[in-house]
Structure formats: structure tokens, C-alpha cells
Amino acid sequence: MRLVLATDAQKAERDVVTYPAWGPPLSVEGYMEREERLRAHPWSRAELKSWLLCAEDGGVLASCETYRTDSLLRAPDGALTPGDSFAIASVFTEERLRGRGYATRLMDLLAAELERASPRAQSALLFSDVGAAIYQRSGYQEFPAWDWRLAPEPGEPSALVDRLLTEAELGAALARMRRPEAPFFYWPTAAQLDWHLERERIYAELMPRPRPEANGATVGESTALWCMLGRTGTLMVLMFDARSAGDAAALLGAARRVAHRAGLSRVVLWEEPATAPLLAGVPGARREPREGSLPMVRPLRPGLPSGSATPIPRALWV
Ligand SMILES: CC(C)(COP(=O)(O)OP(=O)(O)OC[C@H]1O[C@@H](n2cnc3c(N)ncnc32)[C@H](O)[C@@H]1OP(=O)(O)O)[C@@H](O)C(=O)NCCC(=O)NCCS
């Protein structure tokens, strides 16, 4: 068995077989269009690789994708070493080939390849929808996964915040957000955030449904960025930097009102170590164990801190 990069034709062939797992409620044609558009996005063109585990005869046994993501390792003196981490998506084995260890073999060969090919490699990151056990075998450790959920509420979205943010402003908004204090963390690019908005645009067109009127808000020095998950009617917070409990409540209030106007059914924010204490005081916010999207990390070099201090904002999800 060997690990190879997929050709464009092989990527389209994989779209056909992965449709039952990730396509509905889109039609097959809609899902193919979604995949083509996401692959054509600037962030994907720069950072996406599609991998195949192939048998000796060339037959495809399993597949996945990696998106290179910036990560930073903090030395004891505070100095930051920038590096590469790889967010793994779309791990897939056709039903007729499952249970023979192919996905596990793919993950093992991929980690070895990432370690070999990138001298800057720091970690591999994934979001499991099938529990922790299968990926633990390949050296991944799961992180806590809690969501804060809020109901949409009627009202003027910009009340109580300084301003709402349009999609064109996400880069500038990201630049003013605080980097985490953690010994190791990931930091998305503006293009990476826009990839989430591209998903929003695609679902808004294909479902079809209206897009929310804003993709974030600011109050004082605090900032929230969000996108619509069209399939589940969720306003999902991508990045959240609240300097106080009051700012957290104001930003999430804006998100709730934007969600209400867009006809969405919930607002969701992924908990991070620094945000949890602020959220406890936000009226109407409920903390719940996350369903799916379990963050798991595998070091790709020695000396990476273990444990759950690493913040994993939703912006890192692929
Ligand atoms: C998950 C998946 C990639 C596993 O592929 P595979 O080649 O059969 O994997 P392996 O043979 O290496 O490992 C199989 C293990 O995964 C476990 N597994 C598979 N699907 C699972 C699920 N839905 N929930 C929990 N565990 C699951 C199996 O129980 C098995 O464990 P066991 O060996 O202890 O019995 C495959 O089932 C698949 O493509 N599923 C649909 C897409 C998907 O959900 N991908 C994962 C996204 S995070």
C-alpha cells in the first residue's frame, strides 16, 4: 500500500463515492459543485492536498485531505516559533472496504509523510465525527469539546455593539484579535476565514436561503466573527475575543439578533480555555457537550506541549 496525491480526475471520482457521507441534503450535482468551488477557493488552492491510500494495483482504498494551517510554539522565554500544522478532513473508506485497517494505515502513512516533508511541521489536527478510538491508534489525543448555545432573539442586531462587520472586513478584524497566551496554538489566516464564508455562500445559493446580514461584530477592543452553517440553520462563531463578560454578552447578543433576522435556529460558540469563564455569565447561554467535531491533535515533532491548554476555535475546522 502507498500514499499518493490525488489527480483532479481522482478528486472528482472521490466526490462521487463520498456523496452519501457528506452530500445530503444537497443533490449529487450540488455536492459536486460545492466540492469544486471549495477546491477553487484561494485558501484551498494554497493549502489543500488530497491524499489517497492505494493498493499495489492502483485501486483506491481510502482517502483524506489536509489543509496546511499556521501554528506557533512558545518557548519558555516567550519567543514564538512559527510552524506548519495540518488539519485533516474527509477521512473516507468505501463501505465495501471498511474494517480492514485502511483508514488507520492512511493516517499513519500521512503523519510519517508530513513529518518527512515539512521541516516546519508541528502538529496534525482533525475533528472526529466517529469518536476518539480510531484516531487514538494513530497517535491523536482528543481535546475537551464543549459548545455554548444560544437561541436567536428578535431586535436590532447592532444595538449594544459598536458595529457589525461585513465579509470584506474579516481580515482587518482578525488582525486586531489577541493571540492566545497558550504554549502552543493555531492562528488562521483571513483567507482561511473566507473559506468558511465560501461554504456559507454555497449553501445560501444551493439550499437556497438568505445569508446573514453580518459576519461579525465589535464592541470596544472585543471582536466576534461568525458564519452561517446553512445545512443546520446555525450561526457558528468562528473566532471570539471578548475582553470582559459584558463584551461577551454584547457580541453574542448581536449574533443572536443577526441569527433571528436570517431565520436561523441557533447560535453556537466553541468553548476555549480563555472564553469559558466569560461565557458562564452570558444570559441565555447554555453549555453542552459537542456532538461530533471532536478536536484531536497529533504532534509531528518532539517537544510539543500535550494537554488541553491549546485553544481550538471553530475557524480551524475543516
Ligand atoms: C470512519 C471510516 C473512515 C473508517 O474507515 P476504515 O477503513 O473502516 O477504518 P479502520 O479499518 O482503520 O478502522 C475501523 C475502526 O473504526 C471504527 N469506526 C468506523 N466507523 C465508526 C463510527 N461511525 N463510529 C465509531 N467508530 C467507527 C470501527 O468501529 C473500527 O474499530 P474496530 O477496529 O475497533 O472495530 C469509514 O467508516 C468511513 O469512511 N465512514 C464514513 C465517513 C466518516 O465518517 N469519516 C470519518 C470522519 S471523522
Side-chain angles (χ1 to χ4, degrees):
M1 280 181 274
R2 55 209 165 80
L3 181 71
V4 299
L5 284 169
T7 63
D8 286 344
Q10 286 170 321
K11 291 175 200 170
E13 282 166 24
R14 290 314 274 174
D15 292 345
V16 175
V17 292
T18 59
Y19 171 77
W22 296 304
L26 301 180
S27 64
V28 176
E29 297 71 32
Y31 176 67
M32 303 282 282
E33 182 185 333
R34 185 194 91 166
E35 292 302 292
E36 289 285 329
R37 274 184 67 174
L38 287 174
R39 283 196 286 266
H41 186 272
W43 186 56
S44 307
R45 284 209 308 273
E47 312 295 4
L48 169 65
K49 288 185 174 166
S50 302
W51 302 90
L52 304 174
L53 178 72
C54 290
E56 293 312 319
D57 67 3
V60 178
L61 304 172
S63 56
C64 71
E65 299 170 334
T66 54
Y67 291 83
R68 195 203 63 81
T69 296
D70 293 327
S71 53
L72 296 113
L73 186 57
R74 194 184 296 277
D77 67 0
L80 289 171
T81 305
D84 294 334
S85 286
F86 298 89
I88 299 173
S90 312
V91 180
F92 188 83
T93 302
E94 279 179 76
E95 220 165 301
R96 65 191 170 86
L97 297 171
R98 287 180 192 167
R100 302 185 199 175
Y102 293 144
T104 302
R105 185 100 171 109
L106 171 66
M107 298 303 285
D108 292 344
L109 288 176
L110 179 60
E113 172 61 17
L114 295 173
E115 280 174 351
R116 189 196 64 75
S118 171
R120 285 164 43 104
Q122 291 182 336
S123 78
L125 167 72
L126 60 83
F127 299 90
S128 178
D129 290 328
V130 292
I134 180 174
Y135 299 118
Q136 282 170 342
R137 290 178 197 168
S138 299
Y140 288 80
Q141 186 196 349
E142 72 269 31
F143 279 43
W146 293 90
D147 289 348
W148 288 81
R149 290 174 168 246
L150 301 100
E153 67 176 11
E156 166 54 43
S158 61
L160 307 178
V161 291
D162 292 343
R163 49 196 304 268
L164 299 174
L165 299 170
T166 66
E167 60 185 319
E169 297 172 290
L170 292 202
L174 178 67
R176 64 180 231 140
M177 298 180 90
R178 285 176 302 183
R179 276 35 172 193
E181 298 290 333
F184 176 67
F185 62 95
Y186 306 94
W187 196 250
T189 61
Q192 190 168 350
L193 292 175
D194 191 75
W195 177 86
H196 291 274
L197 298 200
E198 182 69 359
R199 299 179 74 93
E200 175 184 302
R201 294 179 199 111
I202 293 168
Y203 276 92
E205 284 171 34
L206 296 180
M207 294 283 288
R209 64 180 307 155
R211 289 185 60 194
E213 64 198 82
N215 284 105
T218 61
V219 61
E221 298 296 304
S222 301
T223 309
L225 306 177
W226 58 67
C227 70
M228 174 178 75
L229 307 188
R231 197 171 59 77
T232 56
T234 302
L235 195 78
M236 176 61 80
V237 178
L238 296 171
M239 296 290 284
F240 194 71
D241 174 16
R243 313 285 171 117
S244 68
D247 283 3
L251 292 171
L252 291 171
R256 295 174 73 178
R257 294 188 292 277
V258 166
H260 187 269
R261 282 227 188 138
L264 301 175
S265 49
R266 66 187 74 85
V267 174
V268 177
L269 167 63
W270 281 16
E271 181 174 295
E272 296 171 46
T275 54
L278 299 177
L279 295 168
V282 172
R286 284 193 330 275
R287 184 177 192 252
E288 293 180 5
R290 187 175 311 150
E291 282 176 26
S293 295
L294 176 68
M296 300 186 74
V297 172
R298 182 196 192 282
L300 294 176
R301 53 165 281 169
L304 211 72
S306 62
S308 54
T310 303
I312 315 264
R314 179 56 165 65
L316 301 175
W317 178 91
V318 290

